[in-house]
């Protein structure tokens, strides 16, 4: 139960942070593209997609080395930080796809009708982005809940998540408890 609680804490925190940052990044990239800063937008898109392309083991070792060099104590906070890094990419790409399919004239119409850019964002753009935001957040939640490799490298003492617990139990043989846990994870995802 404590491993499940840790997994839910990590996944919830990572998804919350990466969803907020991912929406901001996607909107910022769309604005860069709109302002014809194509080189900068292309470089930023490359940085956003990088965690998806880099092998998970390389990201895990890099995160561990970063935390050690900064003197950051390994625990749930280091696992959350590492999960935010890779969840951010998935959320940003999902929201970007939704933004590209959106009609830009809707926001322009809201501005023409007297809304400030901030109000137009919250009353027009954000509701239209909601399906992309929700699907990106759900994807990030499942990926974070299920992650083993990055968690293995960045978890400290007392930061055992459900995948780590299942792995440690499998070393001694497959019991009915492991089957039940695996089934619950499958149903959840």
């Amino acid at each position: 139960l404590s491993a499940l609680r840790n997994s839910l804490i990590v996944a919830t925190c990572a998804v919350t942070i990466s969803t907020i940052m991912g929406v901001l990044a996607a909107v910022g990239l769309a604005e860069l593209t709109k302002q014809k800063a194509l080189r900068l937008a292309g470089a930023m898109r490359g940085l956003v997609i990088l965690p998806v392309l880099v092998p998970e083991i390389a990201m895990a070792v890099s995160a561990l080395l970063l935390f050690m060099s900064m003197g950051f104590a390994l625990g749930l906070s280091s696992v959350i930080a590492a999960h935010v890094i890779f969840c951010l990419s998935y959320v940003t790409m999902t929201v970007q796809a939704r933004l590209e399919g959106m009609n830009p004239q809707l926001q322009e119409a809201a501005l023409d009708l007297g809304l400030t850019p901030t109000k137009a964002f919250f009353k027009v753009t954000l509701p239209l982005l909601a399906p992309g935001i929700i699907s990106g957040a759900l994807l990030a939640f499942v990926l974070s809940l299920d992650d083993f490799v990055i968690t293995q490298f960045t978890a400290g003492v007392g930061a055992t998540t459900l995948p780590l617990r299942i792995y440690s139990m499998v070393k001694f043989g497959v019991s009915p408890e492991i089957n039940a846990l695996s089934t619950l994870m499958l149903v959840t995802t």
Side-chain angles (χ1 to χ4, degrees), residues 135-152:
S135 56
L138 288 174
L139 179 62
F141 182 81
V142 169
L143 289 170
S144 178
L145 188 68
D146 188 49
D147 185 72
F148 173 76
V149 176
I150 293 175
T151 307
Q152 175 74 25

Side-chain angles (χ1 to χ4, degrees), residues 39-60:
R39 282 190 174 175
L40 182 59
M44 291 297 155
R45 277 193 178 90
L47 285 175
V48 165
I49 201 168
L50 197 60
V52 175
L53 300 176
V54 173
E56 200 172 12
I57 188 78
M59 281 190 53

Side-chain angles (χ1 to χ4, degrees), residues 20-186:
I20 292 168
M21 291 174 64
V23 170
L24 293 174
V27 170
L29 284 169
E31 285 299 316
L32 281 176
T33 304
K34 194 187 312 182
Q35 294 174 3
K36 305 293 186 213
L38 299 179
R39 282 190 174 175
L40 182 59
M44 291 297 155
R45 277 193 178 90
L47 285 175
V48 165
I49 201 168
L50 197 60
V52 175
L53 300 176
V54 173
E56 200 172 12
I57 188 78
M59 281 190 53
V61 171
S62 299
L64 176 62
L65 292 174
L66 175 69
F67 294 149
M68 288 175 55
S69 68
M70 292 175 55
F72 197 70
L74 296 181
L76 278 181
S77 57
S78 62
V79 175
I80 291 169
H83 282 219
V84 167
I85 293 168
F86 73 84
C87 287
L88 179 62
S89 295
Y90 290 98
V91 173
T92 304
M93 289 188 305
T94 307
V95 174
Q96 267 184 314
R98 181 70 180 152
L99 260 172
E100 289 172 6
M102 222 173 69
N103 186 353
Q105 294 174 342
L106 295 173
Q107 186 166 3
E108 292 171 14
L111 294 172
D112 286 344
L113 291 172
L115 288 180
T116 64
T118 305
K119 284 186 179 180
F121 176 77
F122 284 106
K123 291 187 178 266
V124 176
T125 306
L126 202 57
L128 291 172
L129 289 179
I133 294 169
I134 291 168
S135 56
L138 288 174
L139 179 62
F141 182 81
V142 169
L143 289 170
S144 178
L145 188 68
D146 188 49
D147 185 72
F148 173 76
V149 176
I150 293 175
T151 307
Q152 175 74 25
F153 278 82
T154 58
V157 177
T160 303
T161 61
L162 203 53
L164 295 179
R165 180 76 175 137
I166 290 171
Y167 177 73
S168 68
M169 292 169 66
V170 167
K171 288 181 183 178
F172 304 108
V174 178
S175 68
E177 187 178 26
I178 294 172
N179 292 335
L181 280 173
S182 299
T183 303
L184 285 175
M185 283 195 69
L186 182 65

